[in-house]
Amino acid sequence: MNSKLRPAIIGGLVMGLLSGLPYVSLGNVACCLWIVLGGALATYLYIKKSPTPVDMGEGALLGLMAGVFGMVVKLIVGVPVAIMTGYPVEHFIINLMDRMNPEQAERYRQGIEDLMTRPFFEQFFASVFSLGTVLVFIITVVFALVGG
């Protein structure tokens, strides 16, 4: 039996790194590009080594597994990088929002500034254990499943 674990880890690693790096992660604005790519990569690697035809269910499962691994990598790599670099993507988004809705941009800016005043580990845990992270996890798994 061909193992799904290795392709899922590789796809998740690619997905997590690309989704976790500042500015590179903006590729996910284009229909979750890096997430779908990670799911598709995991499936491609599995199909390439599989001696038997692979059905859609197996591809979806691989995408789902890659999505879980990708989110873990994103949290382990992306959150600390964002904290250490001062949340550059968030500031980029605030500047865009400022043109559309200054009041909403100010509320978002205040939230980021409040978060940045906390110590590193407090910022890390506040970022990881939030409702936003749960929503991003769900979106990541769904789009990676589609990619698979």
Side-chain angles (χ1 to χ4, degrees), residues 17-29 34 74 78-79 81-98 105 108-109 112 116:
L17 288 175
L18 293 175
S19 295
L21 296 175
Y23 298 113
V24 176
S25 64
L26 289 173
N28 278 332
V29 172
W34 305 134
K74 181 179 177 180
V79 172
V81 168
I83 292 169
M84 289 185 290
T85 57
Y87 302 92
V89 173
E90 284 77 2
H91 290 291
F92 177 76
I93 292 169
I94 289 170
N95 290 335
L96 290 177
M97 288 172 59
D98 215 11
Y108 194 67
R109 182 180 291 114
I112 294 298
M116 288 177 67

Side-chain angles (χ1 to χ4, degrees), residues 37-116:
L37 177 75
L41 176 64
T43 304
Y44 171 76
L45 293 173
Y46 180 72
I47 290 171
K48 197 168 88 170
K49 297 281 185 182
S50 178
T52 61
V54 177
D55 64 8
M56 278 190 357
E58 287 180 291
L61 178 63
L62 274 158
L64 181 118
M65 290 169 61
V68 171
F69 288 122
M71 190 63 188
V72 169
V73 170
K74 181 179 177 180
L75 291 176
I76 291 172
V77 174
V79 172
V81 168
I83 292 169
M84 289 185 290
T85 57
Y87 302 92
V89 173
E90 284 77 2
H91 290 291
F92 177 76
I93 292 169
I94 289 170
N95 290 335
L96 290 177
M97 288 172 59
D98 215 11
R99 296 181 187 147
M100 295 181 282
N101 187 340
E103 291 174 14
Q104 187 178 13
E106 185 56 38
R107 283 195 306 269
Y108 194 67
R109 182 180 291 114
Q110 187 61 45
I112 294 298
E113 288 172 1
D114 290 346
L115 186 62
M116 288 177 67

Side-chain angles (χ1 to χ4, degrees), residues 75 79 121-134:
L75 291 176
V79 172
F121 286 107
E122 195 174 322
Q123 287 182 54
F124 181 79
F125 288 113
S127 296
V128 171
F129 299 107
S130 69
L131 178 61
T133 302
V134 172

